[in-house]
Amino acid sequence: MAVQPDRPTWSKQIEFTLAGIGNAVGLGNVWRFPYLCYRSGGGAFLVPYVFMLVVLGIPLLYMELIVGQYLRKGPVHVLEKVCPLLKGVGMATVAISFIMCTYYNVIITWALYYLFSSFQSPLPWQSCNNTWNQPNCTDHVTNSSYSTTASQQFFNHKVLERTSGLEQPGTLRWELFLLLLLSWIIVYLCIFKGVKSTGKVVYFTAIFPYVILFALLINNVQLPGAMEGIKFFIVPVWDKLLSLEVWINAAAQIFNSIGIGFGGLMTMSSYNSFNNNVLKDTLAISIINSLTSLLAGFVIFSAFGYMSHLQNIPVSELAVDGPGLVFVVYPQTFVTMPLAPLWAIVFFFMLLLLGLDSEFAMVEVMVTSLMDGYGKPLLKYFRLKEILVLMVCSTAFLLGIPHVMQSGIYVFQLMDHYTAIVSIIFLAFFEVIAICVVFGVRRLSDSLIEMTGKPPSIFFKVCWCIVCPILIGVILVFSVIQFRPARYEDYVYPAWAQGVGWMIALASIIWIPLGAIHTLWILPGTFMERVRRSLTPFGLEKVPAIHPAGSGESLPDLAVKL
């Protein structure tokens, strides 16, 4: 393997580890993990969660870091090399990361709005005596189907000023528009120098959220009723383990949280030194990611216990929803805490940091892929890489504007459903087929030996050969069988909106068949010779300048025998 002398590397290896942790640890740890745990019977969710971490999360992360560090390229060129027929998977990975970065920054925008709104006492969502409140507002948490809490009305009628659906787009929310611009300025300033600047920023953004989480936990466990919430979190309801959906949810959470198939960690590992110990980083990123989810679980379930104490109802009967944990339920908890504005500021600043780390990685996937494929012509046109990064951020900002309309929450939910749930499962399945099956476990092992001098353990080989392909295949089949159209609370998206959602999904998935068609088109020989070469790692690099069809030239060794 020829190491690229001009490839930039992390100033210190710890910077990659912190950047990887920052990429994996995100907003999903704070709301999606506790929500799935709550819905799946509390402690019962932890059993399949740990199982999926061991047999799916860690092996697949190890796989991505190995090929990224060995080939020293972004996902597009990595997949092109390991399996030319499935090179479109790499292109799809870049597409899905870019699509996600356009709406993921909207969450950061909301966090900024709440952060700036927290610098006042009392907090604006503390009472119903505001101009945006409706007659059915109540200033305490309730499960009534008619009443809505002050924090719900603040989010819906003040922050979003939301309309009744996509049919009524409303006007531009100028406050959110300016905060979206601010969030993209922050992202640009943090990453415009590439890994050299990102590496410095992650020292703060990856570590500080843990300080905040521990501070919140120390505060929450002292509240009345907190232990009941924690007991619900750690004591399993064993009957729930008989539900296949609980196991699939656990796998999907590991999958989405670590970021398998998004290309972020593969891109970051391409900037490692060639002889870096990949296993150490794999274990650090995956284990710390899961421990963060557990820590966030203790923080939020202790708050649940406090809320159930205030309402005098069991923890299991609290009305909670995914995003509501962050922007409705938790803000409602702050108002009953001492020094409420301080806790609100601390919490939403933590959300800002968690979101920024993940956003860095998604933008870097696009920039790295463009530089790997079209570096010289792009630099000739833009002159500086910093200008290219500015163009990527500017484009993503413009595409994010529909999310800050009054109907923006419906656009956000539609894109998230068809991107994070539908597209990513397809991408990950074909990525595992390309690397574990076509490139093969033997080549993967040889690559690791060349870099570190040590082969992978038999455990990883078994997971790569058997467990991971089968498990992700089951997730794919289950997600298709159990597919449910996008919804937001009680709003049902019209048929045309669901069609738009599938177009969003196809914007990334379509690159897989297009890449396969392009590979077969440019390869020489008969159709079967083209198929054989397309299933050969580095097959495109072996195409001679002149290759008459049927010339009888020898083909390289195949990973997959036809």
Side-chain angles (χ1 to χ4, degrees), residues 260-429:
I260 306 299
F262 289 93
L265 289 169
M266 187 185 294
T267 298
M268 289 179 172
S269 67
S270 71
Y271 297 107
N272 282 340
S273 59
F274 186 69
N275 303 114
N276 174 57
N277 184 347
V278 194
L279 180 59
K280 176 190 67 176
D281 293 321
T282 300
L283 295 176
I285 293 170
S286 55
I287 292 176
I288 290 177
N289 172 66
S290 294
L291 290 177
T292 304
S293 293
L294 293 174
L295 175 60
F298 279 104
V299 172
I300 287 183
F301 275 89
S302 58
F304 281 173
Y306 179 47
M307 291 168 62
S308 71
H309 171 77
L310 292 177
Q311 299 178 70
N312 197 28
I313 60 173
V315 175
S316 60
E317 295 181 14
L318 285 171
V320 295
D321 195 4
L325 286 176
V326 175
F327 295 110
V328 174
V329 175
Y330 221 91
Q332 186 67 40
T333 306
F334 293 143
V335 302
T336 51
M337 292 181 176
L339 301 175
L342 175 62
W343 287 112
I345 292 169
V346 166
F347 181 78
F348 290 112
F349 185 61
M350 178 192 72
L351 289 186
L352 175 64
L353 297 183
L354 290 175
L356 284 175
D357 272 339
S358 300
E359 188 73 18
F360 294 161
M362 286 185 276
V363 176
E364 191 63 48
V365 168
M366 172 60 81
V367 173
T368 296
S369 299
L370 290 173
M371 289 298 296
D372 286 347
Y374 310 100
K376 290 184 178 179
L378 284 174
L379 289 180
K380 183 179 179 180
Y381 183 78
F382 291 112
R383 298 190 180 277
L384 295 172
K385 181 183 176 183
E386 289 85 343
I387 299 178
L388 173 63
V389 177
L390 178 62
M391 294 303 297
V392 171
C393 291
S394 300
T395 303
F397 162 69
L398 293 175
L399 292 174
I401 291 177
H403 298 92
V404 292
M405 301 286 288
Q406 286 182 288
S407 60
I409 186 65
Y410 304 106
V411 180
F412 175 88
Q413 185 73 5
L414 187 70
M415 291 193 67
D416 185 61
H417 182 81
Y418 283 95
T419 302
I421 298 177
V422 176
S423 301
I424 191 60
I425 302 295
F426 282 91
L427 265 61
F429 175 75

Side-chain angles (χ1 to χ4, degrees), residues 23-24 53 57-58 61 253-260 265 286 289:
N23 173 63
L53 169 67
I58 294 176
L61 176 59
Q253 173 61 14
I254 287 290
F255 186 77
N256 283 281
S257 180
I258 294 179
I260 306 299
L265 289 169
S286 55
N289 172 66

Side-chain angles (χ1 to χ4, degrees), residues 40-41 43-48 234-243 247:
S40 303
F45 184 74
L46 300 181
V47 177
I234 62 177
V235 177
V237 178
W238 295 109
D239 292 345
K240 292 283 188 177
L241 290 178
L242 301 177
S243 170
W247 291 83

Side-chain angles (χ1 to χ4, degrees), residues 59 67 90 113 160 181 250 255 336 369 403 484 487 514 542 544:
V67 294
Y113 192 101
L160 303 179
L181 177 61
F255 186 77
T336 51
S369 299
H403 298 92
R484 294 171 183 164
R487 297 174 64 95
L514 288 180
K542 301 177 185 296

